[in-house]
Amino acid sequence: MQNYDGQDDLADLTPELVPMFPGAGPFLARFLPYSPPTHAGLNQNFCDLHAFLKYLHEAAWYGYLHASLGDQAAYVLLFEGRTVTAAAASATGEQALGELLNLYEQGAALSAHPLPAVLAHVLSGIGNRAWKFNLTEDFTGLHARPTGAIFYARGEIVATLPATLPYEGAFPAPLRPQTLILPRSLAGWAHHQYTLTLRGKDSMNAITGMYQQFRTQHGLAGIAFLRALGERLTPAEYAMRSDVALHDLEPLVQEFIKTGCVREGG
């Protein structure tokens, strides 16, 4: 261990991270730090991506996914197991998440790289543009400069990274990163409205036998979701408001339709 003889240099104590994708174009990819993958070489022939995302969600996993096929690539950051920001060559956010899924379905190899929770939080604010940097005592996010990047958590420097922007800017992290929802083109069911049938209404009425049967099968969470559909929320809107993973709702919607509790449209 290095002996500072009482003259601790804080700059020397701050970890300098190594870029995972040096020279990458998308902002998110440019500032992702090196991390050995916990999973590498995944492909659709032996790994269902939605099942893998569900596994990461249940593990409250922090890190990023990288999918590449030829000269195409997509990057998705996970926070608490939730997809919170994404980037591809010409897209960010939900469209870039859709691009990762498209690449995977076309045969792309996927890898998963873990990160400490604090770094995942800092990176969660990276989108398609940088903002004016204003260091406040509680600033959490990335400060990008022509000379390198600084990771801040609650106003404190937690790491640096030799990746740059041609100008100075900031990517503030949200207090609680929101979950990305798949675009309509890939998850049309999630953006539809559903109408409760008489059976669905009985399933929410505590004095009916149908209610007890429904609650035993789906629990209070299922009742809350069914009620939200009855209030004309789409599954995507409910997932955003309730911080529920969208892939957990798809089998419920299918079950509700199959058992005659809801029908599409209305």
Side-chain angles (χ1 to χ4, degrees), residues 20-170:
M20 186 72 184
F21 306 101
F27 289 160
L28 175 62
R30 185 177 304 187
F31 297 111
L32 290 174
Y34 173 78
S35 170
T38 52
H39 303 78
L42 301 183
N43 67 63
Q44 65 167 354
N45 291 330
F46 64 89
C47 179
D48 178 80
L49 184 54
H50 293 283
F52 185 55
L53 289 172
K54 183 178 178 66
Y55 162 76
L56 295 176
H57 183 264
E58 290 172 348
W61 190 81
Y62 296 87
Y64 57 88
L65 306 179
H66 171 234
S68 60
L69 184 65
D71 59 355
Q72 296 179 284
Y75 315 83
V76 175
L77 183 79
L78 276 73
F79 181 86
E80 297 174 343
R82 299 178 294 113
T83 55
V84 295
T85 190
S90 58
T92 58
E94 295 171 356
Q95 295 301 322
L97 175 60
E99 183 65 19
L100 180 129
L101 294 178
N102 280 331
L103 288 175
Y104 193 74
E105 290 172 356
Q106 293 170 30
L110 183 82
S111 55
H113 306 258
L115 288 176
V118 64
L119 296 186
H121 191 194
V122 169
L123 292 163
S124 68
I126 298 181
N128 60 359
R129 60 168 294 186
W131 302 83
K132 182 179 179 182
F133 178 61
N134 178 28
L135 179 59
T136 58
E137 63 181 17
D138 61 348
F139 176 77
T140 296
L142 188 81
H143 177 202
R145 307 163 299 157
T147 55
I150 301 175
F151 288 64
Y152 282 95
R154 296 178 297 280
E156 300 291 332
I157 296 176
V158 294
T160 61
L161 182 78
T164 65
L165 283 184
Y167 51 85
E168 183 179 25

Side-chain angles (χ1 to χ4, degrees), residues 66-263:
H66 171 234
S68 60
L69 184 65
D71 59 355
Q72 296 179 284
Y75 315 83
V76 175
L77 183 79
L78 276 73
F79 181 86
E80 297 174 343
R82 299 178 294 113
T83 55
V84 295
T85 190
S90 58
T92 58
E94 295 171 356
Q95 295 301 322
L97 175 60
E99 183 65 19
L100 180 129
L101 294 178
N102 280 331
L103 288 175
Y104 193 74
E105 290 172 356
Q106 293 170 30
L110 183 82
S111 55
H113 306 258
L115 288 176
V118 64
L119 296 186
H121 191 194
V122 169
L123 292 163
S124 68
I126 298 181
N128 60 359
R129 60 168 294 186
W131 302 83
K132 182 179 179 182
F133 178 61
N134 178 28
L135 179 59
T136 58
E137 63 181 17
D138 61 348
F139 176 77
T140 296
L142 188 81
H143 177 202
R145 307 163 299 157
T147 55
I150 301 175
F151 288 64
Y152 282 95
R154 296 178 297 280
E156 300 291 332
I157 296 176
V158 294
T160 61
L161 182 78
T164 65
L165 283 184
Y167 51 85
E168 183 179 25
F171 298 97
L175 187 63
R176 177 165 173 73
Q178 283 199 314
T179 304
L180 292 177
I181 300 298
L182 283 175
R184 185 181 301 270
S185 60
L186 288 172
W189 66 270
H191 300 272
H192 293 166
Q193 288 188 324
Y194 298 83
T195 300
L196 291 186
T197 63
L198 184 59
R199 181 184 179 92
K201 292 175 182 176
D202 283 347
S203 297
M204 294 192 305
N205 186 341
I207 66 172
T208 67
M210 188 72 68
Y211 171 87
Q212 295 301 331
Q213 180 181 335
F214 186 90
R215 178 173 174 176
T216 298
Q217 184 174 0
H218 299 295
L220 292 176
I223 292 174
F225 180 41
L226 186 63
R227 181 173 292 112
L229 295 178
E231 294 169 354
R232 313 304 287 163
L233 286 182
T234 68
E237 290 168 335
Y238 180 75
M240 291 289 288
R241 294 189 186 188
S242 305
D243 203 22
V244 174
L246 190 61
H247 51 254
D248 286 343
L249 298 181
E250 185 172 14
L252 279 179
V253 170
Q254 293 173 348
E255 179 72 12
F256 292 172
I257 294 174
K258 181 181 178 182
T259 56
C261 290
V262 303
R263 55 183 171 81

